[in-house]
Amino acid sequence: MRKKLVAGNWKMNLANLFELSPNEDVDVILFVPFTHIGVNRHLKEGGFNLGAQNFYPAESGAFTGEISASMIKDAGASYVLIGHSERRAIFGETNEFINEKVKFALKEDLIPIFCVGETLEEREKNITFEVISEQIKIGFKEVSEEDAKKVIIAYEPVWAIGTGKTATSEQAEEVCLQLRKLISELYSKEASETVRILYGGSVNMKNAKELFSMPNIDGGLVGGASLTAEFSEVIKGAAK
Ligand code: PEP
């Protein structure tokens, strides 16, 4: 049985967490800006997990402006976002670089939330699965089965991120099922049944329950709705 997981991606924003309370059915991860990981360390005692939105895959060195996996861990985070569409589109991160980050994060004991997803143009051309399949195959290159089982995959159609245009639960389930089948082909049935697969893209308190009740959707990666008290309602949408 995979435990449900809801992750909030604050991006370059701050949020008010006063309304947030943990729920024993749901793992919650807060991807806060770097400077707020240490500040929010106490949330771990309150039953929440902390994550970083990015890192650079090297131990140390001349990488001005970057932050390493061990610095993130020292600050108190255990998870990291990799392959988010904003990093792919705005910062030019390729599938190959994302693979480097996945491997490096796992080596350093940081758990990746590995994001994949197609653009609107790719969906309209009917190549959603080809695109996602390539992102997964390259992203997991040289990752052992033992490590692959630790990775959390987030299916985030680019056209649904920050647009208010959510994928229907059927559209999201269809891709998440394909992703699970792909993990089974690349590794094993056991790996495919272990890996948690999230949906992300304009999740809110109204659509969370229906999306998270689909058999292959184990929770969500939430941007806008993780910044306000609405996030509590989204978390409840993942509870039994
Ligand atoms: C995201 O940033 O990963 C995301 C899904 O954002 P939003 O929920 O705002 O669409």
Side-chain angles (χ1 to χ4, degrees):
M1 227 359 229
R2 297 180 298 269
K3 189 171 178 189
K4 294 282 186 198
L5 192 164
V6 174
N9 175 15
W10 291 9
K11 312 192 186 192
M12 206 168 69
N13 300 297
L14 296 179
N16 179 347
L17 287 176
F18 292 124
E19 313 278 342
L20 206 59
S21 49
N23 183 307
E24 62 176 29
D25 296 340
V26 188
D27 285 335
V28 177
I29 311 171
L30 298 164
F31 287 94
V32 300
F34 287 137
T35 48
H36 283 249
I37 297 174
V39 174
N40 286 303
R41 232 180 165 136
H42 62 280
L43 288 171
K44 288 179 103 175
E45 281 116 61
F48 299 102
N49 300 286
L50 288 170
Q53 298 171 19
N54 188 33
F55 80 109
Y56 190 79
E59 257 143 49
S60 60
F63 304 104
T64 301
E66 295 294 330
I67 186 162
S68 74
S70 63
M71 289 169 188
I72 287 168
K73 279 196 304 181
D74 285 349
S78 316
Y79 295 82
V80 70
L81 281 181
I82 301 180
H84 192 280
S85 68
E86 286 152 20
R87 296 231 44 106
R88 292 177 189 264
I90 306 171
F91 301 99
E93 295 194 6
T94 60
N95 284 334
E96 289 71 21
F97 183 57
I98 288 163
N99 171 243
E100 245 186 83
K101 291 173 90 173
V102 169
K103 288 188 289 187
F104 205 93
L106 288 163
K107 180 167 84 69
E108 299 282 315
D109 268 337
L110 267 185
I111 300 180
I113 291 207
F114 172 26
C115 308
V116 296
E118 82 287 5
T119 61
L120 184 59
E121 200 189 346
E122 289 161 344
R123 176 160 280 264
E124 283 169 348
K125 276 196 209 147
N126 265 326
I127 54 166
T128 297
F129 192 58
E130 280 93 318
V131 170
I132 285 166
S133 187
E134 171 151 295
Q135 290 171 340
I136 290 283
K137 284 183 183 157
I138 300 176
F140 276 95
K141 217 166 167 185
E142 294 165 3
V143 174
S144 69
E145 175 161 344
E146 196 192 336
D147 274 347
K149 284 185 194 161
K150 298 177 196 157
V151 176
I152 297 154
I153 298 172
Y155 167 53
E156 295 212 305
V158 180
W159 47 271
I161 299 178
T163 58
K165 214 173 161 192
T166 321
T168 62
S169 47
E170 290 76 21
Q171 282 173 323
E173 167 65 14
E174 183 188 28
V175 177
C176 291
L177 172 63
Q178 284 172 328
L179 282 167
R180 213 173 284 290
K181 286 188 180 154
L182 185 57
I183 295 298
S184 176
E185 281 162 29
L186 292 176
Y187 294 101
S188 67
K189 187 158 191 292
E190 196 214 331
S192 77
E193 284 166 358
T194 308
V195 163
R196 288 192 280 185
I197 303 180
L198 313 179
Y199 166 76
S202 297
V203 172
N204 58 40
M205 62 190 216
K206 293 199 189 108
N207 57 32
K209 202 171 180 65
E210 188 183 331
L211 284 160
F212 303 163
S213 65
M214 301 309 279
N216 287 290
I217 301 179
D218 303 314
L221 177 55
V222 185
S226 71
L227 297 172
T228 65
E230 181 172 7
F231 195 46
S232 291
E233 299 305 311
V234 174
I235 295 168
K236 280 188 208 149
K240 279 177 203 144

